[in-house]
Short mmCIF file of all heavy atoms in Angstrom, two decimals:
data_model
loop_
_atom_site.label_atom_id
_atom_site.label_comp_id
_atom_site.label_asym_id
_atom_site.label_seq_id
_atom_site.Cartn_x
_atom_site.Cartn_y
_atom_site.Cartn_z
N GLU A 1222 -3.82 -5.60 0.09
CA GLU A 1222 -4.11 -4.19 -0.22
C GLU A 1222 -5.50 -3.91 -0.70
O GLU A 1222 -6.17 -4.75 -1.21
CB GLU A 1222 -3.09 -3.72 -1.36
CG GLU A 1222 -1.62 -3.83 -1.04
CD GLU A 1222 -1.06 -4.99 -1.83
OE1 GLU A 1222 -1.79 -5.90 -2.05
OE2 GLU A 1222 0.19 -4.96 -2.02
N SER A 1223 -5.90 -2.58 -0.38
CA SER A 1223 -7.21 -2.21 -0.83
C SER A 1223 -7.18 -0.64 -0.99
O SER A 1223 -6.25 -0.08 -0.49
CB SER A 1223 -8.41 -2.60 0.10
OG SER A 1223 -8.19 -2.08 1.37
N GLY A 1224 -8.14 -0.14 -1.63
CA GLY A 1224 -8.32 1.36 -1.75
C GLY A 1224 -7.83 1.98 -3.01
O GLY A 1224 -7.88 3.22 -3.15
N GLY A 1225 -7.37 1.18 -3.90
CA GLY A 1225 -6.94 1.77 -5.20
C GLY A 1225 -8.18 2.22 -6.09
O GLY A 1225 -9.30 2.02 -5.67
N GLY A 1226 -7.85 2.77 -7.28
CA GLY A 1226 -8.94 3.13 -8.19
C GLY A 1226 -8.48 4.13 -9.17
O GLY A 1226 -7.26 4.31 -9.35
N LEU A 1227 -9.44 4.82 -9.79
CA LEU A 1227 -9.29 5.85 -10.83
C LEU A 1227 -9.59 7.16 -10.28
O LEU A 1227 -10.76 7.34 -9.74
CB LEU A 1227 -10.02 5.52 -12.02
CG LEU A 1227 -10.13 6.51 -13.19
CD1 LEU A 1227 -8.73 6.76 -13.82
CD2 LEU A 1227 -11.09 6.12 -14.30
N VAL A 1228 -8.76 8.13 -10.38
CA VAL A 1228 -9.05 9.43 -9.91
C VAL A 1228 -8.38 10.49 -10.94
O VAL A 1228 -7.59 10.18 -11.76
CB VAL A 1228 -8.49 9.76 -8.56
CG1 VAL A 1228 -9.05 8.88 -7.47
CG2 VAL A 1228 -6.93 9.63 -8.54
N GLN A 1229 -8.96 11.70 -10.92
CA GLN A 1229 -8.49 12.81 -11.75
C GLN A 1229 -7.22 13.38 -11.15
O GLN A 1229 -7.07 13.36 -9.91
CB GLN A 1229 -9.53 13.86 -11.99
CG GLN A 1229 -10.74 13.36 -12.85
CD GLN A 1229 -11.59 14.54 -13.10
OE1 GLN A 1229 -11.65 15.56 -12.59
NE2 GLN A 1229 -12.53 14.20 -14.05
N ALA A 1230 -6.39 13.96 -11.89
CA ALA A 1230 -5.18 14.67 -11.39
C ALA A 1230 -5.63 15.70 -10.37
O ALA A 1230 -6.64 16.41 -10.50
CB ALA A 1230 -4.45 15.36 -12.52
N GLY A 1231 -4.90 15.77 -9.18
CA GLY A 1231 -5.28 16.58 -8.12
C GLY A 1231 -6.11 15.99 -7.04
O GLY A 1231 -6.27 16.53 -6.02
N GLY A 1232 -6.59 14.82 -7.29
CA GLY A 1232 -7.43 14.07 -6.35
C GLY A 1232 -6.67 13.28 -5.35
O GLY A 1232 -5.42 13.29 -5.37
N SER A 1233 -7.33 12.56 -4.51
CA SER A 1233 -6.73 11.76 -3.49
C SER A 1233 -7.26 10.32 -3.39
O SER A 1233 -8.43 10.02 -3.78
CB SER A 1233 -7.03 12.40 -2.09
OG SER A 1233 -6.61 13.73 -1.99
N LEU A 1234 -6.46 9.48 -2.92
CA LEU A 1234 -6.82 8.10 -2.59
C LEU A 1234 -6.05 7.66 -1.30
O LEU A 1234 -5.01 8.20 -1.10
CB LEU A 1234 -6.34 7.17 -3.74
CG LEU A 1234 -7.13 7.11 -5.03
CD1 LEU A 1234 -6.46 6.20 -6.02
CD2 LEU A 1234 -8.52 6.62 -4.72
N ARG A 1235 -6.63 6.76 -0.58
CA ARG A 1235 -5.91 6.10 0.61
C ARG A 1235 -5.87 4.71 0.38
O ARG A 1235 -6.89 4.05 0.29
CB ARG A 1235 -6.67 6.50 1.85
CG ARG A 1235 -5.83 6.02 3.08
CD ARG A 1235 -6.35 6.39 4.40
NE ARG A 1235 -7.55 5.51 4.77
CZ ARG A 1235 -7.99 5.41 6.01
NH1 ARG A 1235 -7.42 6.04 6.95
NH2 ARG A 1235 -9.05 4.65 6.19
N LEU A 1236 -4.63 4.15 0.28
CA LEU A 1236 -4.45 2.70 0.23
C LEU A 1236 -4.26 2.17 1.58
O LEU A 1236 -3.71 2.72 2.47
CB LEU A 1236 -3.12 2.45 -0.53
CG LEU A 1236 -2.98 2.99 -2.01
CD1 LEU A 1236 -1.79 2.58 -2.68
CD2 LEU A 1236 -4.24 2.59 -2.82
N SER A 1237 -4.84 1.00 1.74
CA SER A 1237 -4.68 0.23 2.98
C SER A 1237 -4.06 -1.10 2.77
O SER A 1237 -4.27 -1.76 1.76
CB SER A 1237 -6.10 -0.02 3.63
OG SER A 1237 -6.79 1.20 3.89
N CYS A 1238 -3.30 -1.57 3.75
CA CYS A 1238 -2.78 -2.88 3.66
C CYS A 1238 -2.90 -3.57 4.97
O CYS A 1238 -2.30 -3.05 6.06
CB CYS A 1238 -1.28 -2.79 3.34
SG CYS A 1238 -0.25 -4.26 3.40
N THR A 1239 -3.66 -4.66 5.06
CA THR A 1239 -3.88 -5.37 6.24
C THR A 1239 -3.10 -6.59 6.38
O THR A 1239 -2.97 -7.39 5.47
CB THR A 1239 -5.41 -5.70 6.39
OG1 THR A 1239 -6.20 -4.52 6.39
CG2 THR A 1239 -5.65 -6.42 7.66
N VAL A 1240 -2.41 -6.81 7.50
CA VAL A 1240 -1.48 -7.97 7.71
C VAL A 1240 -2.15 -8.95 8.63
O VAL A 1240 -2.67 -8.53 9.66
CB VAL A 1240 -0.16 -7.42 8.28
CG1 VAL A 1240 0.85 -8.55 8.50
CG2 VAL A 1240 0.41 -6.36 7.31
N SER A 1241 -1.96 -10.18 8.28
CA SER A 1241 -2.50 -11.27 9.13
C SER A 1241 -1.39 -12.32 9.22
O SER A 1241 -0.53 -12.38 8.49
CB SER A 1241 -3.80 -11.83 8.60
OG SER A 1241 -3.55 -12.40 7.30
N GLY A 1242 -1.57 -13.17 10.34
CA GLY A 1242 -0.70 -14.32 10.48
C GLY A 1242 0.60 -14.03 11.12
O GLY A 1242 1.61 -14.92 11.10
N GLY A 1243 0.83 -12.87 11.69
CA GLY A 1243 2.09 -12.54 12.36
C GLY A 1243 1.86 -11.49 13.39
O GLY A 1243 0.80 -11.23 13.80
N THR A 1244 2.99 -10.96 13.85
CA THR A 1244 3.01 -9.93 14.85
C THR A 1244 3.26 -8.56 14.20
O THR A 1244 4.47 -8.23 14.08
CB THR A 1244 3.97 -10.20 16.01
OG1 THR A 1244 3.91 -11.58 16.50
CG2 THR A 1244 3.94 -9.20 17.15
N PHE A 1245 2.17 -7.91 13.81
CA PHE A 1245 2.30 -6.61 12.93
C PHE A 1245 3.21 -5.61 13.58
O PHE A 1245 4.05 -5.00 12.83
CB PHE A 1245 0.97 -6.18 12.63
CG PHE A 1245 0.98 -4.84 11.82
CD1 PHE A 1245 1.24 -4.82 10.57
CD2 PHE A 1245 0.63 -3.70 12.55
CE1 PHE A 1245 1.18 -3.57 9.86
CE2 PHE A 1245 0.66 -2.47 11.84
CZ PHE A 1245 0.88 -2.44 10.51
N ILE A 1246 3.14 -5.45 14.87
CA ILE A 1246 3.85 -4.39 15.47
C ILE A 1246 5.33 -4.47 15.47
O ILE A 1246 6.06 -3.57 15.56
CB ILE A 1246 3.36 -4.20 16.98
CG1 ILE A 1246 3.80 -2.88 17.62
CG2 ILE A 1246 3.92 -5.43 17.87
CD1 ILE A 1246 3.15 -2.63 18.95
N ARG A 1247 5.78 -5.70 15.19
CA ARG A 1247 7.33 -5.98 15.10
C ARG A 1247 7.85 -5.75 13.69
O ARG A 1247 9.03 -5.75 13.51
CB ARG A 1247 7.52 -7.47 15.45
CG ARG A 1247 7.06 -7.88 16.88
CD ARG A 1247 8.02 -7.08 17.86
NE ARG A 1247 9.42 -7.31 17.67
CZ ARG A 1247 10.15 -8.29 17.95
NH1 ARG A 1247 9.55 -9.31 18.71
NH2 ARG A 1247 11.42 -8.29 17.70
N TYR A 1248 6.92 -5.31 12.72
CA TYR A 1248 7.38 -5.27 11.34
C TYR A 1248 7.49 -3.81 10.86
O TYR A 1248 6.57 -3.02 11.00
CB TYR A 1248 6.47 -6.02 10.35
CG TYR A 1248 6.17 -7.48 10.80
CD1 TYR A 1248 4.96 -7.99 10.43
CD2 TYR A 1248 6.96 -8.17 11.45
CE1 TYR A 1248 4.53 -9.29 10.66
CE2 TYR A 1248 6.65 -9.53 11.77
CZ TYR A 1248 5.50 -10.01 11.47
OH TYR A 1248 5.16 -11.30 11.74
N GLY A 1249 8.63 -3.48 10.29
CA GLY A 1249 8.68 -2.27 9.44
C GLY A 1249 7.82 -2.54 8.28
O GLY A 1249 7.78 -3.65 7.72
N MET A 1250 7.26 -1.44 7.72
CA MET A 1250 6.32 -1.62 6.47
C MET A 1250 6.70 -0.62 5.49
O MET A 1250 7.23 0.48 5.78
CB MET A 1250 4.88 -1.38 6.98
CG MET A 1250 4.39 -2.42 7.99
SD MET A 1250 4.25 -4.10 7.32
CE MET A 1250 3.07 -3.96 5.97
N ALA A 1251 6.43 -0.87 4.29
CA ALA A 1251 6.74 -0.02 3.14
C ALA A 1251 5.79 -0.22 2.02
O ALA A 1251 5.07 -1.21 1.90
CB ALA A 1251 8.19 -0.33 2.67
N TRP A 1252 5.76 0.90 1.15
CA TRP A 1252 4.93 0.83 -0.03
C TRP A 1252 5.90 0.94 -1.20
O TRP A 1252 6.85 1.86 -1.17
CB TRP A 1252 3.97 2.02 -0.09
CG TRP A 1252 2.76 1.74 0.82
CD1 TRP A 1252 2.56 2.25 2.13
CD2 TRP A 1252 1.54 1.04 0.47
NE1 TRP A 1252 1.44 1.86 2.63
CE2 TRP A 1252 0.79 1.16 1.70
CE3 TRP A 1252 1.07 0.40 -0.63
CZ2 TRP A 1252 -0.60 0.53 1.70
CZ3 TRP A 1252 -0.18 -0.27 -0.59
CH2 TRP A 1252 -0.92 -0.12 0.61
N PHE A 1253 5.64 0.18 -2.29
CA PHE A 1253 6.38 0.21 -3.50
C PHE A 1253 5.35 0.42 -4.64
O PHE A 1253 4.26 0.21 -4.50
CB PHE A 1253 7.16 -1.08 -3.78
CG PHE A 1253 8.30 -1.35 -2.83
CD1 PHE A 1253 8.04 -1.72 -1.54
CD2 PHE A 1253 9.59 -1.12 -3.14
CE1 PHE A 1253 9.06 -1.99 -0.59
CE2 PHE A 1253 10.76 -1.29 -2.30
CZ PHE A 1253 10.44 -1.78 -0.96
N ARG A 1254 5.91 0.74 -5.83
CA ARG A 1254 5.02 0.86 -7.01
C ARG A 1254 5.80 0.40 -8.28
O ARG A 1254 7.07 0.43 -8.26
CB ARG A 1254 4.44 2.21 -7.23
CG ARG A 1254 5.48 3.40 -7.43
CD ARG A 1254 4.84 4.69 -7.35
NE ARG A 1254 5.79 5.75 -7.63
CZ ARG A 1254 5.48 7.06 -7.60
NH1 ARG A 1254 4.23 7.43 -7.31
NH2 ARG A 1254 6.41 8.04 -7.93
N GLN A 1255 5.07 -0.09 -9.28
CA GLN A 1255 5.64 -0.62 -10.52
C GLN A 1255 4.80 -0.44 -11.61
O GLN A 1255 3.61 -0.74 -11.58
CB GLN A 1255 6.01 -1.99 -10.28
CG GLN A 1255 6.73 -2.72 -11.47
CD GLN A 1255 7.24 -4.10 -11.14
OE1 GLN A 1255 6.59 -4.82 -10.28
NE2 GLN A 1255 8.27 -4.51 -11.64
N ALA A 1256 5.30 0.06 -12.69
CA ALA A 1256 4.67 0.23 -14.07
C ALA A 1256 5.09 -0.88 -14.93
O ALA A 1256 6.20 -1.34 -14.77
CB ALA A 1256 4.86 1.60 -14.66
N PRO A 1257 4.23 -1.30 -15.96
CA PRO A 1257 4.72 -2.25 -16.87
C PRO A 1257 5.99 -1.95 -17.52
O PRO A 1257 6.23 -0.85 -18.11
CB PRO A 1257 3.54 -2.47 -17.93
CG PRO A 1257 2.45 -1.84 -17.16
CD PRO A 1257 2.93 -0.76 -16.23
N GLY A 1258 6.88 -3.00 -17.60
CA GLY A 1258 8.21 -2.78 -18.28
C GLY A 1258 9.15 -2.03 -17.44
O GLY A 1258 10.34 -1.75 -17.89
N LYS A 1259 8.88 -1.57 -16.15
CA LYS A 1259 9.71 -0.82 -15.40
C LYS A 1259 10.12 -1.64 -14.07
O LYS A 1259 9.28 -2.54 -13.71
CB LYS A 1259 9.26 0.50 -15.04
CG LYS A 1259 9.05 1.40 -16.21
CD LYS A 1259 8.47 2.75 -15.79
CE LYS A 1259 8.30 3.65 -16.97
NZ LYS A 1259 7.75 5.01 -16.56
#
């Protein structure tokens, strides 16, 4: 993954996830998130 960072409320970010070592087109992809203790 790449593209994270610090922004103010109302701002924008674009996260990227580059896949290597397989056949990417064959894979469904997803994003998850997690906070400490959750």
Side-chain angles (χ1 to χ4, degrees):
E1222 299 104 332
S1223 62
L1227 172 65
V1228 298
Q1229 294 184 345
S1233 298
L1234 286 173
R1235 188 177 74 161
L1236 304 182
S1237 299
C1238 175
T1239 299
V1240 179
S1241 62
T1244 307
F1245 175 75
I1246 195 171
R1247 298 295 307 277
Y1248 310 150
M1250 300 294 298
W1252 289 94
F1253 294 75
R1254 62 188 182 185
Q1255 186 173 28
K1259 298 183 180 179

